[in-house]
Amino acid sequence: MIFATLALAECAGAVLAHSLKTPSLRLRKGTELTRDHLDTLAKAGVTELTVARLDADDVKEDRAAALIAEAVAGPGVQVERAFTGRANIFANKAGLLVVDREEIDRLNRIDPAITLATLEAYAPVEAGRMVATVKIIPYAVAGGLVAKASAHGPDGLLRLAPYKPMRVALVSTRLPSLKESTIDKTVAVMVERLAPAGARLLADLRIAHEAEALAEALQKAREGGAELVIVFGASANVDRGDVVPDGIEKAGGRVEHFGMPVDPGNLLVLGHLGSIPVIGAPGCARSPAENGFDWVLRRTLAGLPVTAHDLTGLGVGGLLMEIVSRPQPREGGQMEEERGMKKSPRIAVLILAAGRSTRMGGPNKLLATIEGEPLVRIAARHALEAAPASVTVVTGHMQDAVADALCGLDLRLVHNDDHAQGLSTSLRAGIAALPEDTDAVLVMLADMPDITPDIVRRLMDTYDPAHEGLIVVPTAQGKQGNPVLWSNRFFPQLMDIRGDVGARHLIGANPQAVVEVEIGDAARLDLDTPQALAAAGGTLMTGGHDT
């Protein structure tokens, strides 16, 4: 193929390289030029064009893309009709994408004109999702190159391993330190993980944290028809001879591998009981956040064998995220406790007072009074009386009036110019304004006068990073409410939130880091409406203007 600028008379049968528009004709790039096209262009005063002219053995881009895509597509995927030199490949059903990385690399090195891009190996996909695309860069490519790029076996270079609707048994060991509610949440998370594969939970077995008890449970699961067993230990596996691997072997099974180079997910145990896979789940798998356990579970649910060799090959790309519940070393590499100098955490209070009070019908509810004291001042005073490291108030709507209501209090005011864009903007402004040495922050709403100094102190005292108490959530009869205390390890995620939403989703995504404190109705009582304010004995201010 040649690519050149030619006189108009020489362009018949060539491919237009760039889109062209005249008063009487519009041509898209890639158009094969006819005599009629050239006559019309000549009348418009066009004298030359940049075109591609194909050689005798060249294959046009769409045809080339289609041929190569059909050759690389294996079972479980289908090729869509090619257009503009691109042929997309889609999954026929839910499963994992299996690719031949070495051969795909070889194809992409045949010639720069030919490219094949796929999702990552073992990517989970649903029916109809695009998994790969073949793109021909120029308008045509030599037939010999197309033939070379299409020379593959019947399984092509990529295929779909469909999920199998497996019967799964879940075994949880118990210790006094493990709440039953934690096991309940683990079961719920597992049901959600199994759903995309059409797998179902056959049994939920809860036993003592002992190898003998686990061996009996594994046998019971096998006898009950389980095709996969997942074990959650009450305590993390720390050795090849620990309860979970020992229990697998006592049941007559074998341990294929202990540990994996994926973080979070290091402490996974991979074994078999006869032909039944047994996965000893790491503690991070209690959270719905993706971790190394998901990689192993998905392959197993798709009927793909997982070996020790597979696990040890997951190190590159295996660093998924920092584990928020892992103890962090202090400056100098030592924990303060190791030095015998246990340090009290510096906990700040952040009060969000920027909202427009739309549900109140107009007036700013934060300036409403109870026994003559504005709501925003009550919240700030209660926070200060609990003696946190600092108190910061984010203002927005009626900035000056809110600031006047807080006059004389030892706190910092931060104005949020973007308060009309939603709660997340105030959260970001407040987090950014906290002192650099802040270890955690209690995020308070300014319309909750029943959050007393005693409640604030209880929440701060519950913060315990050494024992995974990184998010402290108050509850009212078991239902979560406000205010919520956050370790500084979550500050980056809090800063990433957008829109008129809070951080509730982060609580659900990190159950291993959550500690609940029952405080009664105060956790869920906010004064959003005139009726709620009146019931609390409050008086609504009717004057004032937005600044």
Side-chain angles (χ1 to χ4, degrees):
M1 184 185 75
I2 63 168
F3 188 91
T5 300
L6 303 177
L8 194 64
E10 301 177 63
C11 294
V15 175
L16 183 65
H18 307 297
S19 297
L20 180 65
K21 182 181 179 181
T22 70
S24 58
L25 183 65
R26 176 181 295 178
L27 296 175
R28 299 183 62 179
K29 65 178 182 179
T31 300
E32 186 172 334
L33 297 167
T34 66
R35 287 292 179 188
D36 288 341
H37 290 146
L38 300 182
D39 290 343
T40 303
L41 292 174
K43 292 176 183 177
V46 177
T47 60
E48 62 182 20
L49 294 172
T50 301
V51 297
R53 185 176 291 284
L54 278 57
D55 293 329
D57 70 336
D58 282 344
V59 180
K60 292 182 180 179
E61 56 177 345
D62 286 353
R63 177 61 176 161
L67 289 172
I68 296 171
E70 291 290 353
V72 303
V77 299
Q78 64 183 24
V79 180
E80 191 179 63
R81 183 179 64 84
F83 63 99
T84 63
R86 183 183 301 278
N88 296 328
I89 303 174
F90 294 84
N92 284 336
K93 57 185 69 175
L96 297 190
L97 180 66
V98 181
V99 300
D100 187 333
R101 181 185 296 273
E102 184 176 337
E103 285 299 303
I104 289 174
D105 288 345
R106 185 194 66 79
L107 183 151
N108 281 317
R109 291 166 182 150
I110 290 173
D111 189 273
I114 299 171
T115 68
L116 168 61
T118 78
L119 298 179
E120 67 272 16
Y122 302 109
V125 299
E126 63 281 356
R129 181 175 177 185
M130 188 168 79
V131 298
T133 184
V134 174
K135 172 62 178 174
I136 304 301
I137 304 298
Y139 291 113
V141 65
L145 296 177
V146 174
K148 188 174 181 181
S150 303
H152 310 294
D155 286 341
L157 302 185
L158 57 96
R159 64 183 177 87
L160 187 83
Y163 288 128
K164 301 179 181 301
M166 299 180 75
R167 299 186 297 273
V168 181
L170 183 62
V171 181
S172 302
T173 71
R174 288 179 170 132
L175 284 173
S177 59
L178 181 66
K179 293 182 180 179
E180 202 71 15
S181 61
T182 299
I183 299 179
D184 293 339
K185 291 177 181 177
T186 301
V187 173
V189 168
M190 277 307 310
V191 169
E192 291 182 4
R193 275 194 165 98
L194 297 174
R200 67 182 180 90
L201 197 61
L202 181 69
D204 172 13
L205 306 176
R206 306 185 184 193
I207 60 171
H209 188 65
E210 300 169 354
E212 292 77 10
L214 177 56
E216 292 179 9
L218 292 175
Q219 292 288 5
K220 182 177 180 180
R222 176 163 64 177
E223 293 167 2
E227 298 169 290
L228 166 64
V229 181
I230 299 169
V231 181
F232 277 89
S235 180
N237 300 299
V238 296
D239 187 81
R240 178 67 170 69
D242 212 335
V243 169
V244 173
D246 189 25
I248 293 172
E249 292 184 339
K250 278 184 166 59
R254 64 188 184 279
V255 175
E256 311 288 355
H257 196 71
F258 172 44
M260 65 187 301
V262 179
D263 201 347
N266 292 137
L267 303 181
L268 181 138
V269 177
L270 179 64
H272 279 85
L273 185 61
S275 61
I276 301 173
V278 180
I279 304 173
C284 59
R286 295 188 186 276
S287 163
E290 183 173 17
N291 57 79
F293 169 75
D294 291 289
W295 294 6
V296 177
L297 178 65
R298 290 170 188 155
R299 294 194 198 188
T300 303
L301 293 174
L304 299 172
V306 182
T307 66
H309 181 77
D310 293 325
L311 292 184
T312 55
L314 295 175
V316 176
L319 181 59
L320 300 181
M321 57 175 283
E322 179 54 64
I323 304 173
V324 294
S325 60
R326 176 186 295 139
Q328 301 293 298
R330 299 290 185 183
E331 184 177 355
Q334 289 180 292
M335 298 295 288
E336 297 292 339
E337 292 82 352
E338 293 175 353
R339 300 175 185 156
M341 301 165 52
K342 186 171 182 178
K343 177 184 175 183
S344 297
R346 292 185 59 80
I347 300 176
V349 172
L350 176 63
I351 301 175
L352 304 183
R356 300 179 64 87
S357 306
T358 53
R359 292 178 61 190
M360 195 60 72
N364 190 336
K365 66 179 176 182
L366 302 185
L367 301 177
T369 60
I370 295 179
E371 296 182 356
E373 186 175 21
L375 290 183
V376 65
R377 189 177 181 90
I378 294 173
R381 179 172 56 79
H382 286 179
L384 288 166
E385 290 177 10
S390 65
V391 175
T392 301
V393 179
V394 180
T395 64
H397 178 56
M398 298 182 66
Q399 171 190 4
D400 293 341
V402 172
D404 288 344
L406 297 170
C407 183
L409 296 181
D410 184 17
L411 49 77
R412 180 181 183 185
L413 294 177
V414 176
H415 182 62
N416 174 20
D417 289 323
D418 298 322
H419 65 274
Q421 302 303 314
L423 178 66
S424 66
T425 63
S426 293
L427 187 60
R428 290 200 302 276
I431 295 293
L434 294 176
E436 290 186 3
D437 59 354
T438 300
D439 294 307
V441 63
L442 180 69
V443 181
M444 293 180 60
L445 304 179
D447 62 350
M448 300 182 71
D450 286 349
I451 300 299
T452 64
D454 179 64
I455 290 174
V456 174
R457 279 191 290 268
R458 285 178 59 197
L459 295 173
M460 292 195 301
D461 289 344
T462 304
Y463 174 66
D464 186 8
H467 296 89
E468 301 189 1
L470 301 177
I471 306 175
V472 182
V473 182
T475 58
Q477 290 78 52
K479 295 183 178 180
Q480 295 181 342
N482 285 298
V484 177
L485 187 147
W486 299 90
S487 164
N488 61 9
R489 299 186 206 170
F490 289 97
F491 286 5
Q493 292 98 310
L494 294 173
M495 293 289 285
D496 281 344
I497 297 172
R498 296 293 184 270
D500 192 23
V501 296
R504 188 64 56 184
H505 65 285
L506 292 178
I507 297 174
N510 296 276
Q512 78 283 2
V514 175
V515 177
E516 294 181 342
V517 178
E518 177 64 37
I519 66 171
D521 291 341
R524 297 177 65 83
L525 180 61
D526 54 358
L527 306 185
D528 271 345
T529 64
Q531 294 78 12
L533 178 64
T539 301
L540 192 62
M541 185 199 77
T542 56
H545 300 282
D546 190 357
T547 60

